[in-house]
Structure formats: structure tokens, C-alpha cells
Amino acid sequence: MTALLSIRGVEAAYGAIVALKGVDLEVNQGEIVTLIGSNGAGKSTLMMTIFGNPRARRGSIAFDGRDITALPTHEIARLRIAQSPEGRRIFPRMTVYENLQMGAELDGAAHFREDLERMLAIFPRLKERLHQRGGTMSGGEQQMLAIARALMARPRLLLLDEPSLGLAPLIAKQIFAVVADLNRREGMTVFLVEQNAYHALKLAHRGYVMVTGQITMSGTGAELLANPDVKAAYLEGGAH
Amino acid sequence: MGIEVFVQQLINGLTLGSIYGLIAIGYTMVFGIIGMVNFAHGDVFMLSAFIALIGFLVLTTILGIGSVALALFIAMLVGMVLTSLWGWSLERLAYRPLRGSFRLAPLISAIGVSIFLSNFVQLAQGARNKPTPPMMQEVIPLFERNGYLVALSYKQLIIMLVTATLLTGFWYVVKKTSLGRAQRACEQDRKMAALVGIDVDRTIALTFVLGAALAAVAGTMYLLYYGVVNFADGFIPGVKAFTAAVLGGIGSLPGAVLGGLIIGLVETMWSAVFPIEYKDVASFCILAIVLTFMPSGILGRPEVEKV
Ligand SMILES: Nc1ncnc2c1ncn2[C@@H]1O[C@H](COP(=O)(O)OP(=O)(O)O)[C@@H](O)[C@H]1O
Ligand SMILES: [Mg+2]
């Protein structure tokens, strides 16, 4: 079986700053895979390099067996890869409803009504805010909207970049629960970047550890949780 | 100024303001999406007035179309198609290759295009004013006071109706269609727009096309109103429309229309009080004052310098 997402020897840079130095990573159909690493390790860069921005200057990225390394960003998205990016990037002067419409653009808006109902059921907070401008919402609400917007595309692969960043623990927990549920019930494939390593590794089937642009460790979530190096570097005081 | 003069100037000002508003939308949309002042936009307006003039003459004299309104309408559609093509090519050839270059590069390119266009028209059409045959002279008398007849001319009525209809349609496109949403998404966050599958390059090109098509309508209306056009007419109305966009808050569509109406009104009211030779001074003063004291305009967002 070939992996749904397969990253081979990928290098990427911002001008002279080399952020990814030969990354190998795979995400299989139906898995939750997490990538952990400290600030500045290159996690967000990898998420964006999958979308060709910045583009991999060496190595290759394949989705569902197709080489997407050189594809324009919007065409990569149209293969039904959706991302809730770092910083959420809600369209600030669009309403919650319009933001969700933007997410559904990939799906040709074919299931808009149905999917909208579903998102509002998963995130009831968004229902109250449906006609509020995205930029005026709280961080937690924006995070929910960013995830809902990504889900509106009916993605085959969902990329989440630090969905718990800056959120109250209770809301973070809620968001992880939603991800677990989508994966269990619908077989949604998820690639999750987290600094909150404990929760991420608990949730994920497999995990990778990134240090300054390179993968230094990989294994099942349980293996990494038990690993003393991981414990020392990423879990100190993080578990609760 | 008596009430009769005031009302008449109000009508004149709103007519003129409609034309400025149509041009201003092109400036504001392009600025909103790529943060660039498209200095060649005024010349697209002038070009479209020439296309309308030539189209009108061909239709009425060679093809023998009797109805002035119909001929003008067809000429306007031809103008819209041609300027749209122009807008699209301009973006592809003069601006897109410079995206990601230093900030002034596209601006310099725009000034180059502007110079090229006005000189091209001067060479092709000559430097003198080109008049249309007299058309639509009828007026609707409104009231008379102190021997002064206040009237709404057919031309003014048409210009205001066409503008209102077009703006309604345009508003609908921007607010309710997926093209409009894509456009707003690119304006707010280009990187994210691409992540949800929007073809950003195509959306930017379409923005130029829309702006050029609106300028073509404005050009036709200008020709109808003044009955004359000149190769240099891209500049002054262009700067006034740009002033309108800045006054309304550059990047804001309602702001562009509002700014256009205000500039139109200021210009006509000013001409009623001061010598008419100075009418352009008013607009330029407004531009300087707004840029200095309220750069984000009436309806603009203060953080507009983000780009
Ligand atoms: N837009 C950018 N321009 C220049 N350097 C960047 C940019 N984004 C990230 N970097 C650099 O690339 C490296 C990796 O950053 P990033 O991928 O954001 O890490 P992480 O998401 O793991 O915190 C860092 O050294 C960061 O400073
Ligand atoms: Mg990051």
C-alpha cells in the first residue's frame, strides 16, 4: 500500500534560511499522524511546503500516488487537502458564514447546506456567531472556525497546525476530541502539528519529532510518549 | 447661491460624481487586492471614450443605425469587451511579472503604460478634441425660480440610471457570487485564499478586467455628457477619480462611490461660486488634504498600509 501523503528528502528555504533539511515522512489513509518539535523547528514550514509555499527545492511530495511537488498551491488544495494554518488566518472581514463558504469552494459548494449544519452541530459556538465578522471573534472561536472551514472542503487529508495554541485547556481538549471523533467515525486522515506534545501523542497513531528542520525520531504515539528523550524535551510539565 | 442654482448644481454634481465613482472603483479594487495604484487606469477610461466615439460613428453613419441610444449602448458594450481584454493583457504583461519585485516597480510600469496609451491615442487620433454629433438634447424641466430654469437632462438621467443599475449588479457580484468572495478573500489574505483552492492569479486578472469594464462605461457616459473627448482626458478625470477613491477610503467599494459623488458635487458647487477655470483646483486640494490628514479616508480601514 502506498501512503496517502509521502514526503521524501524535502528541503525548503526562505532565502538563505534553510528551514527543512531533508525531511522524510508518511501519512497513511485513516491515520492521525502528529509532528512535534519546539518553536522554530520547521513544522509550519513543512505544512506550507506540502502546499508549495515555500516550494520544496529538493526532494518530492506525493499525494495519493501523484507527484504534487511542483503543482500550484490552489491546485494542491483542489486535490482535497485542507489546512487550518498557523495563526488561523480567518478571513477577517468576512462573516463566519462566508468563511465557511470559502472552505466549501473546494467542494464546489455541492454539499454546502448539509455540511454547514454539521459544522454548526460540532461547533455550536459558531452558530451564535454566524453573521459576525471572523476578525472580531475570540481566539478559540477563530480556531474552531479555521477547523470548520477546512472541514467544509470534505478533505481527504486534514492538516492542522497547532490547533490548541493560545486556547484555554478546556477548549483545546474539546478540539482534540472533535479530531479524534472525525477520525474514528469517518476515517478522516489527519496530519497534526503540535507543541502540546502530550495531547498530540495521546491522540495520534504515529508521531514524528522534528529538530531544526530534520526528523530525529518517529514511532507510534505510545512509543514516543514513553521515550525518555521525548519526555525530557517536550513533556516536562506539559502533561496534565 | 440661490436654491435654484443649488438644485441644478446638485443634479450636475451627482451626474459627474457617478462617472468619477465608476472610475474610482477600478482604482480601489486593484489597490485592495494587490496594494498598487494602477496609474494607467485613467487612460483606460480615455481609451474607452474613444472606442465609444468610433463605435458610435461607425454604427450610425456606416451601418445606419437610427437610434442614438441603441448605437451608444452597442458602442459601450464593444468598449467594455475591448477594455476588458486590455485590462487582462495589461495585468499579464506589465504587472504580474513584477509581482514580488520591489514595491515601486509596478507603479513605474503603470506610469509607463499610461504614457504609452495617451501617446498612442494622440498619434492615432490626433491631438485635437474629437466631438460627437449632437445627441440627446432633450431636458425635463423641473421648476423655474427667479427666471432660472432647473432641469434634468435626458443625458443626466441616463448616466445616473446606468450607474445605479451597474453598481447594484456589481455590488451583487462582489457580495453574493463566488467570484466576488474569491476577490475579497484574495484582498484579505492571499496566502490563505490559495489554501482554500482559489486561483489567486486568475482572480487578480479578473479584478483588472472588472475595473476596466467599469471604466469603459464611465468613458461612454463621459462622451455622452460632454460630447467631446481628447487624448489627454485620461489624466484629469483619472486623478479626480483617484482622489475619490482616496477620499472614500482606498480599498473600500462603497467608499469609491461615495468619494466620487462628493468630488462631483464639490466640483460643480465650486464652479458655481468661483471662476470655472479653477474647478480642478478643488479636487487636487482635497487630494492633498485627505492624504495628509486622513489617509484612510471616510470609509477606509486605518490599517490599510499593511501591504
Ligand atoms: N516567512 C518566513 N521568512 C523567513 N524565515 C522564516 C519564515 N517563516 C519561518 N521562518 C524560519 O524558518 C524556521 C522554521 O520556522 P517554522 O516552520 O515556523 O517553525 P515551527 O512551526 O516549527 O515553529 C525558523 O527559523 C523561522 O525563523
Ligand atoms: Mg509553527
Side-chain angles (χ1 to χ4, degrees), chain A residues 48 51 53 73-74 77-78 81 83 85 89 91-94 98 101-103 105-106 149, chain B residues 175 178 181-182 184-185 187-189 191-200 301 303 306:
Chain A
M48 287 307 297
F51 279 91
N53 180 13
T73 301
H74 65 274
R78 287 175 187 178
I81 309 179
Q83 179 168 185
R89 304 192 90 126
F91 296 111
R93 292 179 300 284
M94 288 191 182
E98 288 174 324
Q101 277 182 309
M102 291 313 299
E105 216 74 40
L106 267 185
R149 178 180 61 188
Chain B
K175 277 289 174 199
S178 75
R181 272 196 304 276
R184 283 183 290 145
E187 186 217 311
Q188 296 177 25
D189 189 340
K191 197 164 163 184
M192 189 64 225
L195 289 189
V196 295
I198 305 287
D199 185 341
V200 174
R301 287 168 284 112
E303 83 278 25
K306 66 184 184 236

Side-chain angles (χ1 to χ4, degrees), chain B residues 229-268:
Chain B
V229 61
N230 181 286
F231 79 98
D233 279 348
F235 183 66
I236 299 277
V239 173
K240 285 180 186 164
F242 174 66
T243 305
V246 173
L247 174 64
I250 196 148
S252 159
L253 294 178
V257 178
L258 180 67
L261 293 177
I262 294 176
I263 296 293
L265 285 171
V266 167
E267 187 175 325
T268 48

Side-chain angles (χ1 to χ4, degrees), chain B residues 12-268:
Chain B
N12 299 348
L14 290 177
T15 310
L16 198 55
S18 301
I19 296 175
Y20 293 152
L22 285 175
I23 312 172
I25 287 179
Y27 281 112
T28 230
M29 270 196 314
V30 165
F31 185 89
I33 204 162
I34 53 173
M36 169 202 148
V37 178
N38 178 13
F39 260 104
H41 188 58
D43 298 283
V44 173
F45 157 79
M46 174 275 295
L47 180 71
S48 70
F50 270 97
I51 295 173
L53 174 61
I54 294 167
F56 180 78
L57 292 177
V58 167
L59 288 164
T60 48
T61 57
I62 299 179
L63 298 179
I65 291 183
S67 157
V68 167
L70 179 66
L72 208 58
F73 183 69
I74 298 175
M76 179 175 87
L77 291 185
V78 172
M80 287 172 84
V81 171
L82 293 180
T83 51
S84 295
L85 278 175
W86 168 263
W88 188 82
S89 325
L90 179 67
E91 195 273 331
R92 286 306 282 254
L93 300 175
Y95 302 146
R96 191 180 298 181
L98 296 173
R99 221 181 287 155
S101 177
F102 64 105
R103 267 203 75 176
L104 282 179
L107 193 70
I108 294 166
S109 187
I111 292 171
V113 171
S114 165
I115 294 171
F116 163 78
L117 208 54
S118 56
N119 282 280
F120 171 76
V121 173
Q122 182 183 8
L123 277 177
Q125 294 293 318
R128 260 174 291 163
N129 281 347
K130 292 274 168 180
T132 61
M135 52 186 170
M136 291 195 209
Q137 302 297 321
E138 301 88 339
V139 300
I140 304 165
L142 296 180
F143 65 90
E144 197 174 334
R145 190 162 171 273
N146 303 334
Y148 184 100
L149 177 70
V150 176
L152 174 67
S153 71
Y154 275 27
K155 288 178 182 178
Q156 292 175 323
L157 188 63
I158 288 175
I159 291 170
M160 287 193 249
L161 283 180
V162 166
T163 307
T165 312
L166 208 70
L167 289 180
T168 312
F170 183 70
W171 179 87
Y172 179 83
V173 168
V174 169
K175 277 289 174 199
K176 302 286 175 192
T177 67
S178 75
L179 168 63
R181 272 196 304 276
Q183 221 223 321
R184 283 183 290 145
C186 290
E187 186 217 311
Q188 296 177 25
D189 189 340
R190 234 146 78 182
K191 197 164 163 184
M192 189 64 225
L195 289 189
V196 295
I198 305 287
D199 185 341
V200 174
D201 283 342
R202 179 173 163 271
T203 308
I204 292 175
L206 281 174
T207 301
F208 275 84
V209 166
L210 276 177
L214 291 180
V217 177
T220 312
M221 297 297 121
Y222 183 87
L223 184 71
L224 170 68
Y225 199 39
Y226 290 109
V228 53
V229 61
N230 181 286
F231 79 98
D233 279 348
F235 183 66
I236 299 277
V239 173
K240 285 180 186 164
F242 174 66
T243 305
V246 173
L247 174 64
I250 196 148
S252 159
L253 294 178
V257 178
L258 180 67
L261 293 177
I262 294 176
I263 296 293
L265 285 171
V266 167
E267 187 175 325
T268 48

Side-chain angles (χ1 to χ4, degrees), chain A residues 14 17 19 37-46 86 161-162 195:
Chain A
Y14 302 98
I17 303 167
S38 47
N39 216 346
K43 306 181 297 297
S44 299
T45 303
L46 182 61
E86 173 164 60
D161 194 341
E162 305 216 34
Q195 276 197 60

